[in-house]
Amino acid sequence: MTRILEATTSLFLPLPPGFHTLHTILGVHCLPLHNLLHYIDNGVLLLTETAVTRLMKDLDNSEKNEKLKFSIIVRLPPLIGQKICRLWDHPMSSNIISRNHVKRLLVNYKKQPQSSMIDKSPGSVEFLPLNYFIEILTDIESSNQALYAFEGHDNVDAKFVEEAALKHTTMLLGL
């Protein structure tokens, strides 16, 4: 298939629909990881949204496949990467989604004086930096709720970010 790709590219011929998807899927199943990533980085294999979606659904979460999935997600354009992260139920994808959400919220954040103390609701974690940060995110979300309502970020909020941060911390600490 790589020879067909080279020939059609050199002759400026169009490829049939789905060629790059099939080519990438075959590459994933036939090539060792380092060769696959080398081909992706050099443009021989193109990561189409369809191919990556299919891989995320078809591959299990074994250690080898997690490494493959993460290597592929890192190489995706940001918009496609965000869509694909939502399909992968894994702490790493939750971490990526949380980071993107926080980055999007804090882009235009200007520190304002806080009028309230950090509330101690039952079930909240006794970690003041995290509590303060989540309170800031909640305030930003509530003031910008109309702005972000139509962007497709329906299930990501400050609570999701807090849970992802706690899961990531417990993994790092080995608890």
Side-chain angles (χ1 to χ4, degrees), residues 146-159:
L147 180 64
Y148 297 119
F150 301 105
E151 288 189 12
H153 303 283
D154 45 356
N155 294 330
V156 181
D157 59 358
K159 188 68 177 164

Side-chain angles (χ1 to χ4, degrees), residues 8-34:
T8 56
T9 304
S10 67
L11 296 172
F12 301 104
L13 296 172
L15 290 166
F19 179 86
H20 290 293
T21 299
L22 179 61
H23 192 207
T24 301
I25 298 293
L26 287 174
V28 166
H29 292 294
C30 297
L31 295 171
L33 181 61
H34 65 277

Side-chain angles (χ1 to χ4, degrees), residues 1-2 4 18-33 35-36 39-40 45-48 51-52 54-55 58 68 72:
M1 287 192 74
T2 304
I4 294 170
F19 179 86
H20 290 293
T21 299
L22 179 61
H23 192 207
T24 301
I25 298 293
L26 287 174
V28 166
H29 292 294
C30 297
L31 295 171
L33 181 61
N35 286 18
L36 173 73
Y39 281 19
I40 290 170
L45 295 174
L46 297 179
L47 294 175
T48 62
V52 176
R54 186 170 159 193
L55 287 173
D58 291 349
L68 170 66
I72 288 175

Side-chain angles (χ1 to χ4, degrees), residues 161-175:
V161 172
E162 180 180 24
E163 290 172 7
L166 290 172
K167 284 180 188 175
H168 185 69
T169 303
T170 55
M171 280 180 15
L172 288 176
L173 294 175
L175 301 175

Side-chain angles (χ1 to χ4, degrees), residues 11 23 26 29 40 44-45 49 54 64 69 89 91 113-115 119-120 123 127 131 136 142-143 153 156 166 169:
L11 296 172
H23 192 207
L26 287 174
H29 292 294
I40 290 170
V44 176
L45 295 174
E49 187 174 350
R54 186 170 159 193
K64 178 183 170 188
K69 288 179 180 182
D89 185 25
Q114 294 289 325
S115 60
D119 76 5
K120 289 195 172 199
F127 185 58
N131 291 348
I136 289 173
S142 62
S143 65
H153 303 283
V156 181
L166 290 172
T169 303

